[in-house]
């Protein structure tokens, strides 16, 4: 068992550092080749950029394993590229399915049925997206510089950044889970992404609980939650497949959630790996910036 923990101590950090490239390069390349990001949820780069930036500013107070810090920097770089490609190739609202790039648009499930305040992260112009990320970085930098000298206050502030950032990252699978359940389909959700998430969860959990280096409990708790969500995504893929017929039927019949006794039949049109990249989301018009 000791040799396995030692091996994981080398392999798991390397895999985690490179996981942003493994997980999202396929999506970015597919959107760029297809010249369309229709159906891709812009909440994905939002969640990962905010979470990674908070993790970076969490490091000075927590001093966790440096591999996790490197992963955060690489995740920021990858997600900036993904966001740029998604915005450059987002279909106009007037085109067929053009509003599919609107995250959670038109959903009728819980908190997502109401429009976001000021159309947050649903802007048509790319400029507000970059402005928000720049302002967030400036606020975090100012907070770090102002509170770091106060040793009685800074540890609590640093822990808050860590738990908030990791909690945000842990909800990453939720948009896809809600979209799959509502459409009764996993069409556009790449098997490569799901496989990388599940493999990463397994290696990450083993490393977190066996590593001799410092891994705060914030990472462990949020990692366990995310692993459970990713596993549920795998169950959804087995239930629904990657066919889009379930979404069409869902417009004329009540939505079927996981666990229901009714299960739509699946007729595959092709391999999931060859399908265009898209995280299916409901449709609504976005507000102009």
């Amino acid at each position: 068992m000791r040799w396995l923990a030692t091996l994981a101590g080398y392999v798991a950090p390397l895999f985690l550092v490179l996981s942003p490239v493994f997980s999202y390069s396929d999506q970015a390349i597919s959107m760029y080749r297809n010249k369309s990001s229709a159906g891709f949820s812009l909440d994905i780069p939002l969640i990962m950029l905010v979470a990674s930036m908070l993790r970076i500013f969490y490091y000075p107070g927590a001093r966790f394993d440096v591999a996790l810090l490197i992963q955060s920097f690489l995740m920021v770089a990858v997600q900036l590229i993904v966001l740029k490609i998604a915005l450059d190739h987002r279909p106009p609202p007037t085109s067929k399915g053009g509003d599919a790039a609107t995250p959670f648009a038109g959903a009728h499930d819980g908190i997502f049925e109401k429009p976001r305040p000021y159309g947050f992260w649903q802007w048509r112009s790319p400029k507000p997206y970059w402005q928000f990320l720049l302002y967030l970085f400036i606020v975090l930098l100012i907070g770090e510089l102002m509170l770091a000298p106060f040793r009685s206050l800074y540890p609590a502030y640093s822990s808050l950044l860590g738990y908030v950032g990791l909690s945000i990252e842990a909800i990453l699978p939720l948009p896809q889970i809600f979209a799959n359940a509502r459409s009764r389909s996993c069409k556009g959700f790449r098997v490569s992404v799901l496989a990388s998430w599940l493999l990463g969860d397994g290696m990450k959990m083993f490393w977190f609980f066996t590593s001799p280096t410092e891994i705060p409990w914030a990472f462990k708790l949020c990692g366990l939650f995310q692993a459970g969500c990713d596993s549920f995504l795998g169950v959804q893929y087995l239930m629904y497949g990657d066919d889009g017929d379930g979404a069409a039927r869902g417009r004329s019949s009540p939505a079927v959630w996981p666990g229901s006794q009714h299960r739509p039949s699946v007729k595959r049109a092709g391999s999931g790996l060859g399908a265009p990249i898209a995280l299916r989301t409901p449709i609504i018009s976005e507000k102009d910036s």
Side-chain angles (χ1 to χ4, degrees), residues 1-9 206:
M1 185 65 180
R2 182 175 298 177
W3 70 268
L4 185 59
T6 302
L7 179 63
F206 186 84

Side-chain angles (χ1 to χ4, degrees), residues 109-254:
D109 306 309
I111 60 174
F112 302 126
E113 66 178 65
K114 295 183 179 180
R116 299 182 184 184
Y118 306 103
F120 176 73
W121 211 254
Q122 295 178 337
W123 306 297
R124 290 309 307 175
S125 171
K127 185 177 180 181
Y129 294 90
W130 307 115
Q131 288 178 330
F132 167 78
L133 295 174
L134 178 60
Y135 295 155
L136 176 62
F137 173 77
I138 292 174
V139 169
L140 291 174
L141 181 60
I142 292 176
E144 181 71 21
L145 295 176
M146 291 183 62
L147 296 178
F150 298 93
R151 296 190 175 183
S152 60
L153 181 61
Y154 183 71
Y157 169 74
S158 178
S159 296
L160 178 64
L161 289 182
Y163 276 96
V164 171
L166 290 165
S167 298
I168 292 174
E169 182 178 351
I171 69 171
L172 174 65
L174 294 183
Q176 187 66 49
I177 289 175
F178 294 147
N180 291 348
R182 191 168 186 272
S183 65
R184 292 183 292 170
S185 171
C186 296
K187 184 177 182 179
F189 182 53
R190 283 191 175 273
V191 178
S192 60
V193 175
L194 176 60
S196 66
W197 285 2
L198 292 175
L199 179 60
D201 288 335
M203 298 185 66
K204 183 167 57 178
M205 289 299 97
F206 186 84
W207 180 50
F208 280 0
F209 288 95
T210 60
S211 175
T213 59
E214 179 63 25
I215 307 292
W217 267 100
F219 282 91
K220 298 176 182 179
L221 293 175
C222 294
L224 286 170
F225 176 81
Q226 188 171 15
C229 292
D230 292 342
S231 299
F232 188 74
L233 271 175
V235 173
Q236 283 189 320
Y237 196 90
L238 293 176
M239 291 173 62
Y240 303 140
D242 62 354
D243 180 61
D245 294 342
R249 287 191 296 271
R251 286 193 288 269
S252 58
S253 60

Side-chain angles (χ1 to χ4, degrees), residues 42-66:
L42 294 178
D43 279 340
I44 301 301
L46 169 65
I47 290 171
M48 296 312 302
L49 283 168
V50 172
S52 299
M53 290 172 69
L54 290 173
R55 281 174 55 177
I56 290 172
F57 283 94
Y58 175 44
Y59 178 78
R63 296 293 177 179
F64 48 80
D65 194 288
V66 69

Side-chain angles (χ1 to χ4, degrees), residues 44-105:
I44 301 301
L46 169 65
I47 290 171
M48 296 312 302
L49 283 168
V50 172
S52 299
M53 290 172 69
L54 290 173
R55 281 174 55 177
I56 290 172
F57 283 94
Y58 175 44
Y59 178 78
R63 296 293 177 179
F64 48 80
D65 194 288
V66 69
L68 297 171
L69 177 64
I70 298 174
Q71 182 208 36
S72 298
F73 277 107
L74 187 57
M75 181 65 77
V76 169
V78 170
Q79 291 299 330
L80 288 175
I81 295 173
V82 170
L83 179 61
K84 178 66 165 61
I85 294 174
L87 292 175
D88 286 348
H89 300 291
R90 186 166 46 166
T94 54
S95 67
K96 183 179 180 180
D99 289 323
T102 308
F104 300 126

